[in-house]
Amino acid sequence: MRMNAKWMTPILWSVAIVGAAIAAACGDGSASRSLFSVLDSTGRDSVRDSVPGDTTPPPPPPPPAGHAARLDVVPVWQQVAVGDSGVVQAIVRDSAGREIQVSGITFTLRDTTIVQNISEGLAFRTFRALHVGRTLYDVRYNTLADTAVVVVVADSTPPPPPPPPPPPPPPPPESVARIVVTPQSQQLVVGDTGVVSATLFDSSGTEVSGNVAWDVTDTSSVVRIRYLVSSRVNFEAVGTGRARLIARHNALADTAVVVVH
């Protein structure tokens, strides 16, 4: 019995949709594709062919590194001060300008009295400046070559400031020219108290400071010393008689006379 194709087509699509829903619920995507493949009247996988695939081609792999085509030193010229350090680096590039890693780069320092190598690597040399002058690094890799210039100048560090001047010496002690006691003479009665002072003067008559020593050894029967300081003596009259109080500064001397009645 032949069935009309126009009548069968909606039925086939209905069965396909129901089968896809059942397969999706079961989590089996392959079942969905199988149902569609079976139900497609043209024999095509209608699900697969109806979804366009990603036609963007994958990126091409990076080209392999080329052979060394150029050698550059960095920096080409530099200036350092005596005692400072610097570095010379070599960069090797291929014909496309890409930096490549190689071994076998040589660094030849022309004058080792101006700078001295202190460390090295495959593509660099570190140096310290020793003396004022100019020298070169000849850098080679196979047939490639370049030159770095190093100029050494005097130490750029400013010198430390000079120390402060020493303080001025103290003024010389003023020369004492004269010693004067005051009062030079006084009269007291037993029981009175008195004071004698001593003053120092320089040659111009200006009062100056200095130590004064007192000689009161022969006064004990007439006066009793109450207290004594460098420039003054305080005493009490204790008996009748005459007492002498002598003030001295080095070879200078003056005498005060005390008469007790």
Side-chain angles (χ1 to χ4, degrees):
M1 179 175 113
R2 296 187 62 186
M3 303 181 79
N4 193 325
K6 292 182 179 180
W7 178 80
M8 289 295 296
T9 300
I11 296 174
L12 292 172
W13 277 108
S14 298
V15 173
I17 292 171
V18 172
I22 295 171
C26 297
D28 187 356
S30 63
S32 173
R33 290 192 298 272
S34 175
L35 285 171
F36 275 97
S37 299
V38 171
L39 296 176
D40 194 332
S41 60
T42 64
R44 294 181 301 108
D45 187 339
S46 59
V47 175
R48 181 191 61 196
D49 296 341
S50 64
V51 178
D54 185 5
T55 60
T56 304
H67 297 291
R70 192 172 82 239
L71 171 66
D72 298 317
V73 294
V74 179
V76 176
W77 184 94
Q78 60 183 305
Q79 177 176 296
V80 294
V82 172
D84 289 348
S85 60
V87 63
V88 174
Q89 183 179 3
I91 299 176
V92 178
R93 304 180 189 275
D94 63 13
S95 57
R98 296 170 301 182
E99 183 176 344
I100 60 175
Q101 302 296 322
V102 298
S103 60
I105 302 174
T106 62
F107 292 76
T108 303
L109 177 59
R110 295 193 187 182
D111 193 337
T112 57
T113 65
I114 296 177
V115 302
Q116 178 187 35
N117 289 325
I118 56 177
S119 66
E120 64 180 51
L122 290 177
F124 72 89
R125 292 294 185 272
T126 304
F127 62 86
R128 178 177 291 111
L130 302 178
H131 299 288
V132 174
R134 179 179 181 274
T135 188
L136 303 176
Y137 272 97
D138 295 317
V139 184
R140 295 182 180 277
Y141 176 70
N142 295 338
T143 60
L144 306 175
D146 200 1
T147 302
V149 180
V150 179
V151 177
V152 180
V153 296
D155 186 2
S156 59
T157 304
E174 298 173 343
S175 176
V176 178
R178 186 161 55 97
I179 183 171
V180 177
V181 295
T182 304
Q184 291 193 328
S185 177
Q186 57 185 305
Q187 295 190 19
L188 303 172
V189 297
V190 174
D192 289 345
T193 60
V195 175
V196 175
S197 300
T199 306
L200 304 176
F201 298 91
D202 63 11
S203 57
S204 66
T206 303
E207 183 177 341
V208 296
S209 60
N211 293 325
V212 176
W214 291 91
D215 182 357
V216 292
T217 56
D218 62 348
T219 62
S220 58
S221 62
V222 180
V223 298
R224 179 172 59 86
I225 305 300
R226 300 178 65 185
Y227 64 86
L228 182 151
V229 294
S230 177
S231 62
R232 187 175 60 180
V233 174
N234 186 288
F235 61 88
E236 179 183 1
V238 294
T240 59
R242 185 183 182 93
R244 295 172 45 185
L245 285 73
I246 305 173
R248 301 181 185 278
H249 176 79
N250 296 336
L252 304 176
D254 197 12
T255 302
V257 177
V258 179
V259 178
V260 179
H261 299 283

